[in-house]
Amino acid sequence: LLGPNGAGKTTTLRMALGLIHPDSGLAYVGGDPVLPGAAVLGRVGALVEGPGFLPHLTGRANLQAYWAATGRPPQEAHVDEVLEVAALGDAIERPVRSYSHGMKQRLGIAQAMLGLPELLILDEPTNGLDPPQIAAMRPILSRYAAAGRTVVVSSHLLAEVEQTCTHVVVMHAGRVVTTGT
């Protein structure tokens, strides 16, 4: 999902997640309407408008608390797999308040991947990452999608979308301008 700031990318993602309601019509995910409490949302992971964590807890404890709130069994979380994505090393055992912006962003992406959802929605996922971290994220997202899942990324950076995505929807002023490969 590509477009300048203010194009409506985040608003569109928030509608797809049921966080806000469209002015008209319905949002659908996987053919199912997105309504409050919709079962389809259990198959979606998302990072929209930046991560939020409990600063006094460690990165690991934040992931565990988030997963526990879903009510799903701990073994379904795939914590070790998502920790590879975060690439935080020993910092995962430190309180999140000591993390840099980029570290929090990577932990937020890992949190969105908990449970290995069928649909992963990432709003400006490279925000706060340095160039090597951005480069490292590209193959992670590609592998995730190659496993039969869908990854939706919003960005205003054309070069990043070109290097990461297989399909594009270009938005401007709340409207779709074009779509394609």
Coordinates of all heavy atoms in Angstrom, one line a residue, residues 50-115:
G50 N 2.8 2.2 15.1 CA 3.8 2.0 16.1 C 3.4 1.1 17.2 O 2.2 0.9 17.5
P51 N 4.4 0.4 17.8 CA 4.1 -0.5 18.9 C 3.9 0.1 20.2 O 4.3 1.3 20.4 CB 5.4 -1.3 18.9 CG 6.5 -0.4 18.5 CD 5.8 0.5 17.4
G52 N 3.2 -0.6 21.1 CA 3.0 -0.1 22.4 C 3.3 -1.3 23.4 O 2.8 -2.4 23.2
F53 N 4.1 -1.0 24.3 CA 4.6 -2.0 25.3 C 4.5 -1.5 26.7 O 4.5 -0.3 26.9 CB 6.0 -2.4 25.0 CG 6.2 -3.0 23.6 CD1 6.9 -2.3 22.6 CD2 5.7 -4.2 23.3 CE1 7.0 -2.8 21.3 CE2 5.8 -4.8 22.0 CZ 6.5 -4.0 21.1
L54 N 4.6 -2.4 27.7 CA 4.7 -2.1 29.1 C 6.2 -1.8 29.3 O 7.0 -2.8 29.2 CB 4.1 -3.2 29.9 CG 2.6 -3.4 29.7 CD1 2.2 -4.7 30.5 CD2 1.8 -2.2 30.2
P55 N 6.6 -0.6 29.6 CA 8.0 -0.3 29.7 C 8.8 -1.0 30.8 O 10.0 -1.2 30.6 CB 8.0 1.2 29.9 CG 6.7 1.6 30.4 CD 5.7 0.6 29.9
H56 N 8.1 -1.4 31.8 CA 8.9 -2.0 32.9 C 9.1 -3.5 32.7 O 9.9 -4.1 33.4 CB 8.1 -1.8 34.3 CG 6.8 -2.5 34.3 ND1 5.7 -2.0 33.6 CD2 6.3 -3.6 34.9 CE1 4.6 -2.8 33.8 NE2 5.0 -3.8 34.6
L57 N 8.4 -4.1 31.7 CA 8.6 -5.5 31.4 C 9.7 -5.7 30.4 O 9.9 -4.8 29.5 CB 7.3 -6.1 30.9 CG 6.1 -6.2 31.8 CD1 4.9 -6.8 31.1 CD2 6.4 -7.0 33.1
T58 N 10.3 -6.9 30.3 CA 11.3 -7.2 29.3 C 10.6 -7.4 28.0 O 9.3 -7.5 27.9 CB 12.0 -8.5 29.7 OG1 11.1 -9.6 29.6 CG2 12.7 -8.4 31.0
G59 N 11.3 -7.4 26.9 CA 10.8 -7.6 25.6 C 10.1 -9.0 25.6 O 8.9 -9.1 25.1
R60 N 10.7 -10.0 26.1 CA 10.1 -11.4 26.2 C 8.8 -11.3 27.0 O 7.8 -11.9 26.5 CB 11.1 -12.4 26.8 CG 10.5 -13.8 26.8 CD 11.5 -14.8 27.4 NE 12.8 -14.8 26.8 CZ 13.1 -15.5 25.7 NH1 12.2 -16.2 25.1 NH2 14.3 -15.5 25.3
A61 N 8.8 -10.7 28.1 CA 7.6 -10.7 29.0 C 6.5 -9.9 28.3 O 5.3 -10.3 28.4 CB 8.0 -10.0 30.3
N62 N 6.8 -8.9 27.5 CA 5.8 -8.2 26.7 C 5.2 -9.1 25.7 O 3.9 -9.1 25.6 CB 6.4 -6.9 26.1 CG 6.2 -5.7 26.9 OD1 5.1 -5.1 26.9 ND2 7.3 -5.3 27.6
L63 N 6.0 -9.9 25.0 CA 5.4 -10.8 24.0 C 4.6 -11.9 24.7 O 3.5 -12.2 24.2 CB 6.6 -11.5 23.2 CG 7.4 -10.6 22.3 CD1 8.5 -11.4 21.6 CD2 6.5 -9.9 21.3
Q64 N 5.0 -12.4 25.8 CA 4.3 -13.4 26.5 C 3.0 -12.9 27.1 O 1.9 -13.5 27.0 CB 5.1 -14.0 27.7 CG 6.3 -14.8 27.2 CD 7.3 -15.1 28.3 OE1 7.5 -14.4 29.2 NE2 8.1 -16.2 28.0
A65 N 3.0 -11.6 27.6 CA 1.7 -11.0 28.1 C 0.7 -10.8 27.0 O -0.5 -11.0 27.1 CB 2.1 -9.7 28.8
Y66 N 1.3 -10.3 25.8 CA 0.4 -10.1 24.7 C -0.3 -11.4 24.2 O -1.5 -11.4 24.0 CB 1.2 -9.4 23.5 CG 0.4 -9.2 22.3 CD1 -0.3 -8.1 22.1 CD2 0.4 -10.2 21.3 CE1 -1.1 -7.8 21.0 CE2 -0.4 -9.9 20.1 CZ -1.1 -8.8 20.0 OH -1.8 -8.6 18.8
W67 N 0.5 -12.4 24.1 CA 0.0 -13.7 23.7 C -1.0 -14.3 24.7 O -2.0 -14.8 24.3 CB 1.1 -14.7 23.4 CG 0.6 -15.9 22.8 CD1 0.3 -17.1 23.3 CD2 0.0 -16.1 21.4 NE1 -0.2 -18.0 22.5 CE2 -0.4 -17.4 21.3 CE3 0.0 -15.2 20.3 CZ2 -1.0 -17.8 20.1 CZ3 -0.6 -15.6 19.2 CH2 -1.1 -16.9 19.0
A68 N -0.7 -14.1 26.0 CA -1.6 -14.6 27.0 C -2.9 -14.0 26.9 O -4.0 -14.6 27.1 CB -1.0 -14.4 28.4
A69 N -3.0 -12.7 26.5 CA -4.2 -12.0 26.4 C -5.1 -12.5 25.3 O -6.3 -12.3 25.3 CB -4.0 -10.5 26.2
T70 N -4.5 -13.3 24.3 CA -5.3 -13.9 23.3 C -6.1 -15.1 23.7 O -7.0 -15.5 23.1 CB -4.5 -14.3 22.0 OG1 -3.7 -15.4 22.4 CG2 -3.6 -13.2 21.5
G71 N -5.7 -15.7 24.9 CA -6.3 -16.9 25.4 C -5.9 -18.1 24.7 O -6.5 -19.2 24.9
R72 N -5.0 -18.0 23.7 CA -4.6 -19.2 23.0 C -3.4 -19.9 23.7 O -2.7 -19.3 24.5 CB -4.2 -18.8 21.6 CG -5.5 -18.3 20.8 CD -5.2 -17.5 19.6 NE -4.4 -18.2 18.6 CZ -3.9 -17.6 17.5 NH1 -4.1 -16.4 17.3 NH2 -3.2 -18.3 16.7
P73 N -3.2 -21.2 23.5 CA -2.1 -21.9 24.2 C -0.7 -21.3 23.9 O -0.5 -20.9 22.7 CB -2.2 -23.4 23.6 CG -3.6 -23.4 23.0 CD -4.0 -22.1 22.6
P74 N 0.1 -21.3 24.9 CA 1.5 -20.7 24.7 C 2.3 -21.4 23.6 O 3.0 -20.7 22.9 CB 2.2 -21.0 26.0 CG 1.1 -21.2 27.0 CD -0.1 -21.7 26.2
Q75 N 2.1 -22.7 23.3 CA 2.9 -23.3 22.3 C 2.5 -22.9 20.9 O 3.3 -23.1 19.9 CB 2.8 -24.9 22.4 CG 1.4 -25.4 22.3 CD 0.6 -25.5 23.6 OE1 0.9 -24.8 24.5 NE2 -0.4 -26.3 23.6
E76 N 1.4 -22.2 20.7 CA 0.9 -21.7 19.4 C 1.5 -20.4 19.1 O 1.4 -19.9 18.0 CB -0.6 -21.6 19.3 CG -1.3 -23.0 19.3 CD -2.8 -22.8 19.2 OE1 -3.3 -21.7 18.9 OE2 -3.5 -23.8 19.5
A77 N 2.2 -19.7 20.1 CA 2.8 -18.4 19.9 C 4.0 -18.4 18.9 O 4.2 -17.4 18.2 CB 3.2 -17.8 21.2
H78 N 4.8 -19.5 18.9 CA 6.0 -19.5 18.1 C 7.0 -18.4 18.5 O 7.6 -17.7 17.7 CB 5.7 -19.4 16.6 CG 4.8 -20.6 16.1 ND1 5.4 -21.8 15.8 CD2 3.5 -20.7 16.0 CE1 4.4 -22.6 15.4 NE2 3.2 -21.9 15.6
V79 N 7.2 -18.2 19.8 CA 8.0 -17.1 20.3 C 9.4 -17.2 19.8 O 10.0 -16.1 19.4 CB 8.0 -17.1 21.9 CG1 9.0 -16.1 22.4 CG2 6.6 -16.8 22.4
D80 N 10.0 -18.3 19.8 CA 11.4 -18.4 19.3 C 11.5 -17.9 17.9 O 12.5 -17.3 17.5 CB 12.0 -19.8 19.5 CG 12.1 -20.2 20.9 OD1 12.3 -19.3 21.8 OD2 12.1 -21.4 21.3
E81 N 10.6 -18.3 17.0 CA 10.6 -17.9 15.6 C 10.5 -16.4 15.5 O 11.2 -15.8 14.7 CB 9.5 -18.6 14.8 CG 9.7 -20.1 14.7 CD 8.5 -20.7 14.0 OE1 8.2 -20.4 12.9 OE2 7.9 -21.6 14.7
V82 N 9.6 -15.8 16.2 CA 9.4 -14.3 16.1 C 10.6 -13.5 16.8 O 10.9 -12.4 16.3 CB 8.0 -13.8 16.6 CG1 6.9 -14.5 15.9 CG2 7.9 -13.9 18.1
L83 N 11.2 -14.2 17.7 CA 12.4 -13.5 18.3 C 13.5 -13.4 17.3 O 14.3 -12.5 17.4 CB 12.8 -14.2 19.6 CG 11.9 -13.9 20.8 CD1 12.4 -14.7 22.0 CD2 11.8 -12.5 21.1
E84 N 13.6 -14.4 16.4 CA 14.6 -14.3 15.4 C 14.4 -13.1 14.5 O 15.3 -12.4 14.1 CB 14.6 -15.6 14.5 CG 15.2 -16.8 15.2 CD 15.1 -18.0 14.3 OE1 15.3 -17.8 13.1 OE2 14.9 -19.1 14.8
V85 N 13.1 -12.7 14.3 CA 12.8 -11.6 13.5 C 13.2 -10.3 14.2 O 13.8 -9.4 13.6 CB 11.2 -11.5 13.3 CG1 10.8 -10.2 12.6 CG2 10.8 -12.7 12.4
A86 N 13.0 -10.3 15.5 CA 13.3 -9.1 16.3 C 14.8 -8.9 16.4 O 15.3 -7.7 16.5 CB 12.7 -9.2 17.7
A87 N 15.6 -9.9 16.3 CA 17.1 -9.9 16.4 C 17.6 -8.9 17.5 O 18.4 -8.1 17.2 CB 17.6 -9.4 15.0
L88 N 17.0 -9.1 18.7 CA 17.4 -8.3 19.8 C 18.5 -8.9 20.7 O 19.0 -8.2 21.6 CB 16.2 -8.0 20.6 CG 15.1 -7.1 20.0 CD1 13.8 -7.0 20.8 CD2 15.7 -5.7 19.7
G89 N 18.8 -10.1 20.4 CA 19.9 -10.8 21.2 C 19.5 -10.8 22.7 O 18.4 -11.0 23.1
D90 N 20.5 -10.5 23.5 CA 20.3 -10.5 25.0 C 19.4 -9.4 25.5 O 18.8 -9.4 26.6 CB 21.6 -10.4 25.7 CG 22.5 -11.7 25.5 OD1 21.9 -12.7 25.2 OD2 23.7 -11.6 25.7
A91 N 19.2 -8.4 24.6 CA 18.3 -7.2 25.0 C 16.9 -7.7 25.3 O 16.1 -7.0 25.9 CB 18.4 -6.2 24.0
I92 N 16.5 -8.8 24.7 CA 15.1 -9.3 24.9 C 14.8 -9.5 26.4 O 13.7 -9.5 26.8 CB 14.9 -10.6 24.1 CG1 13.4 -10.9 23.9 CG2 15.6 -11.8 24.7 CD1 12.7 -9.9 23.1
E93 N 15.9 -9.7 27.2 CA 15.7 -9.9 28.7 C 15.8 -8.6 29.5 O 15.7 -8.6 30.7 CB 16.7 -10.9 29.2 CG 16.7 -12.2 28.5 CD 15.4 -12.9 28.4 OE1 14.5 -12.6 29.3 OE2 15.2 -13.8 27.6
R94 N 15.9 -7.4 28.8 CA 16.0 -6.1 29.4 C 14.6 -5.4 29.4 O 13.8 -5.7 28.4 CB 17.0 -5.2 28.7 CG 18.4 -5.6 28.9 CD 19.4 -4.5 28.5 NE 19.0 -3.5 27.6 CZ 19.5 -3.3 26.4 NH1 20.5 -4.0 25.9 NH2 19.0 -2.3 25.7
P95 N 14.3 -4.5 30.3 CA 13.1 -3.8 30.2 C 13.0 -3.0 28.9 O 14.0 -2.4 28.5 CB 13.1 -2.8 31.4 CG 14.1 -3.5 32.4 CD 15.1 -4.2 31.5
V96 N 11.8 -2.9 28.4 CA 11.6 -2.2 27.1 C 11.9 -0.8 27.2 O 12.3 -0.1 26.2 CB 10.2 -2.5 26.6 CG1 9.8 -1.6 25.4 CG2 10.0 -4.0 26.2
R97 N 11.8 -0.2 28.4 CA 12.1 1.2 28.5 C 13.5 1.6 28.1 O 13.9 2.7 27.8 CB 11.8 1.7 29.9 CG 12.8 1.3 31.0 CD 12.5 1.9 32.3 NE 13.0 1.0 33.4 CZ 12.2 0.3 34.2 NH1 10.9 0.3 34.0 NH2 12.8 -0.5 35.1
S98 N 14.4 0.5 28.1 CA 15.8 0.8 27.7 C 16.1 0.6 26.2 O 17.2 0.8 25.8 CB 16.7 -0.2 28.5 OG 16.5 -1.6 28.1
Y99 N 15.0 0.3 25.5 CA 15.2 0.0 24.0 C 15.2 1.3 23.2 O 14.5 2.3 23.6 CB 14.0 -0.8 23.5 CG 14.0 -2.3 23.9 CD1 14.8 -2.8 24.9 CD2 13.1 -3.1 23.3 CE1 14.7 -4.1 25.2 CE2 13.1 -4.5 23.6 CZ 13.9 -5.0 24.6 OH 13.8 -6.3 24.9
S100 N 15.9 1.3 22.1 CA 15.9 2.4 21.2 C 14.6 2.3 20.4 O 13.9 1.3 20.5 CB 17.1 2.3 20.2 OG 16.9 1.1 19.4
H101 N 14.3 3.3 19.6 CA 13.1 3.3 18.8 C 13.1 2.1 17.8 O 12.1 1.4 17.6 CB 12.9 4.6 18.0 CG 11.7 4.7 17.2 ND1 10.5 4.9 17.7 CD2 11.6 4.6 15.8 CE1 9.6 4.9 16.7 NE2 10.2 4.7 15.5
G102 N 14.2 1.9 17.2 CA 14.3 0.8 16.2 C 14.1 -0.6 16.9 O 13.5 -1.5 16.3
M103 N 14.6 -0.7 18.1 CA 14.5 -2.0 18.8 C 13.0 -2.2 19.2 O 12.5 -3.3 19.0 CB 15.3 -2.0 20.1 CG 16.8 -2.0 19.9 SD 17.7 -1.7 21.4 CE 17.6 -3.2 22.2
K104 N 12.3 -1.2 19.6 CA 10.8 -1.3 19.8 C 10.1 -1.6 18.6 O 9.1 -2.4 18.6 CB 10.3 0.0 20.4 CG 10.8 0.3 21.9 CD 10.3 1.6 22.4 CE 10.9 1.9 23.7 NZ 10.5 3.3 24.2
Q105 N 10.5 -1.0 17.4 CA 9.8 -1.3 16.2 C 10.0 -2.8 15.8 O 9.1 -3.4 15.4 CB 10.4 -0.4 15.1 CG 9.7 -0.5 13.8 CD 8.3 0.2 13.8 OE1 7.8 0.7 14.8 NE2 7.7 0.2 12.6
R106 N 11.2 -3.3 16.0 CA 11.5 -4.7 15.6 C 10.7 -5.6 16.6 O 10.1 -6.7 16.1 CB 13.0 -5.0 15.7 CG 13.7 -4.3 14.6 CD 15.1 -4.8 14.3 NE 15.9 -5.3 15.5 CZ 16.7 -4.5 16.2 NH1 16.9 -3.2 15.8 NH2 17.4 -5.0 17.2
L107 N 10.6 -5.3 17.8 CA 9.8 -6.1 18.8 C 8.3 -6.0 18.4 O 7.6 -7.0 18.5 CB 10.0 -5.6 20.2 CG 9.4 -6.4 21.3 CD1 9.9 -7.8 21.3 CD2 9.5 -5.7 22.7
G108 N 7.9 -4.8 17.9 CA 6.5 -4.7 17.5 C 6.2 -5.6 16.3 O 5.1 -6.2 16.2
I109 N 7.1 -5.7 15.3 CA 6.9 -6.6 14.2 C 6.9 -8.0 14.7 O 6.0 -8.8 14.2 CB 8.0 -6.3 13.1 CG1 7.9 -4.9 12.5 CG2 8.0 -7.4 12.1 CD1 9.1 -4.5 11.7
A110 N 7.7 -8.4 15.6 CA 7.7 -9.7 16.1 C 6.4 -10.0 16.9 O 5.8 -11.1 16.7 CB 8.9 -9.9 17.1
Q111 N 5.9 -9.0 17.6 CA 4.6 -9.2 18.3 C 3.5 -9.4 17.3 O 2.6 -10.3 17.5 CB 4.3 -8.0 19.1 CG 3.0 -8.0 19.9 CD 2.8 -6.8 20.7 OE1 3.4 -6.7 21.8 NE2 2.0 -5.9 20.3
A112 N 3.5 -8.7 16.2 CA 2.5 -8.9 15.1 C 2.6 -10.3 14.5 O 1.6 -10.8 14.1 CB 2.6 -7.8 14.1
M113 N 3.8 -10.9 14.5 CA 4.0 -12.2 13.9 C 3.6 -13.4 14.9 O 3.6 -14.5 14.5 CB 5.4 -12.4 13.4 CG 5.7 -11.5 12.3 SD 7.5 -11.6 11.8 CE 7.3 -11.9 10.1
L114 N 3.4 -13.0 16.2 CA 3.1 -14.1 17.1 C 1.9 -14.9 16.6 O 0.9 -14.4 16.1 CB 2.7 -13.5 18.5 CG 3.8 -13.0 19.4 CD1 3.3 -12.3 20.6 CD2 4.7 -14.2 19.8
G115 N 2.0 -16.2 16.7 CA 1.0 -17.2 16.2 C 1.1 -17.4 14.7 O 0.3 -18.1 14.2

